[in-house]
Amino acid sequence: MKKSLEKLLTKPLPVNPFKPEKALITDVEDLAPDHKKFSFVFLDEKVNEEWNHIPGQFVMLTVPKGGEIPISICSSPTRRGTVELTVRKVGRKTEVLHKMQPGDLVAIRGPYGNGFPVEIMEGHNVLIIAGGLGIAPLRSLIWYILDKRHLYKDVYILYGTRNYESVLYKDELRRLKERKDIKCLYILDKFENEEDRKWADREGLLTALIPEVSLDPKETYVAVCGPPVAYKFIGKELIKNGYPESQVFVSLERKMECGIGKCGHCQIGYKFACVDGPIFPLWDTKNLPEMI
Ligand SMILES: Cc1cc2nc3c(=O)[nH]c(=O)nc-3n(C[C@H](O)[C@H](O)[C@H](O)COP(=O)(O)OP(=O)(O)OC[C@H]3O[C@@H](n4cnc5c(N)ncnc54)[C@H](O)[C@@H]3O)c2cc1C
Ligand code: FES
């Protein structure tokens, strides 16, 4: 246990956690309506080389003439040289970002937050449960685990979203399904056309896939990210199926300003989502007031 804790505490240190670093947009990919994936490289070569993060961590992204927003890193630290962020257009700042093109400049500070306990998960099965945009931080975890496949036992990915049109990383997820070293199950809320039917294994809610997972729950770590409203139901279904709540980790979003535990905007009870999270054990979500 002591060794595991030591491992958890050996987080990569950001180059300078307080300094926004200029970064160039190198690629913009339309993933789904109102969802784009942006790729960035830092102008400072040293920052580019030293940048490291843990899957599940986030950055504070400065959108010129917009402001700062917290965004999860969707690329894996095992694939260095580029930082990728997937952003849904929901308001003023994300609208400005969605108009930006390759060659435009932004600023990024971080990485912040705790991330998933990837080292503690080593030697165990991993069950990844993603709902909607929740696949973004989990994409970082998926590629991290696949690039270090020998360190983990069986891996399952469950992904649920509204319809085929709203599926993010379509090609990647299709290719993941063809791999023999992981098992992927995809579900859509409701089949409305042939494309939906072709894409998904099932119709319904993510919780319906949990009993189909054939893993020994006691030997499994679970990573969940999706709409907070789903956490209660996913949590209940996981517990019903024997997964220990100490081995289930969920990613939570709160409004953030500083990202470094100073402003109090993200406070939940005695915890700050930006430094104690955004990844929390399921136990916290059940026992801290207003967690979900
Ligand atoms: C740790 C963390 C990671 C995130 N990762 C991503 C990501 O990978 N991709 C992505 O698209 N978005 C992510 N978000 C949310 C993103 O930060 C907000 O959507 C963004 O700040 C909205 O800015 P805006 O000016 O466009 O919209 P605003 O005008 O600020 O907000 C538009 C609407 O969204 C709501 N909102 C804004 N921020 C949040 C929040 N944090 N939680 C709940 N509701 C909110 C507002 O109340 C409002 O109704 C993340 C947030 C956090 C805290
Ligand atoms: S965002 Fe300021 S304390 Fe968390």
Side-chain angles (χ1 to χ4, degrees), residues 5 20 34 49 58 69 91 96 104 110 112 116 124 136 148 156-157 160 166 168 185 225 241 246 249 268 275:
L5 270 178
D34 292 334
E49 273 165 27
F58 66 96
I69 49 173
V96 175
D104 289 341
Y112 297 134
F116 289 102
H124 294 84
K148 294 173 179 260
Y156 258 87
I157 300 170
S166 64
L168 305 179
L185 288 172
C225 189
N241 282 270
S246 60
F249 291 85
I268 318 166
V275 288

Side-chain angles (χ1 to χ4, degrees), residues 256-259 261-266 272 274:
M256 291 182 184
E257 287 288 334
C258 68
K262 299 291 176 205
C263 72
H265 269 82
C266 68
F272 285 166
C274 65

Side-chain angles (χ1 to χ4, degrees), residues 152-218:
Y152 299 90
K153 287 193 187 160
D154 294 344
V155 179
Y156 258 87
I157 300 170
L158 310 184
Y159 174 52
T161 187
R162 213 171 50 251
N163 51 24
Y164 177 71
E165 197 188 22
S166 64
V167 171
L168 305 179
Y169 320 120
K170 289 183 177 71
D171 289 343
E172 248 173 73
L173 289 174
R174 217 174 259 124
R175 274 182 271 124
L176 287 180
K177 212 170 196 332
E178 288 163 9
R179 287 179 68 131
K180 300 275 178 270
D181 58 348
I182 50 166
K183 190 111 178 66
C184 302
L185 288 172
Y186 303 149
I187 193 160
L188 295 176
D189 287 358
K190 200 167 178 338
F191 288 168
E192 279 165 3
N193 53 44
E194 207 39 47
E195 249 178 357
D196 291 351
R197 238 168 244 116
K198 258 200 264 168
W199 160 261
D201 301 282
R202 303 274 179 280
E203 182 185 26
L205 299 176
L206 254 178
T207 41
L209 295 178
I210 293 170
E212 297 192 27
V213 173
S214 53
L215 294 174
D216 174 0
K218 302 277 179 289

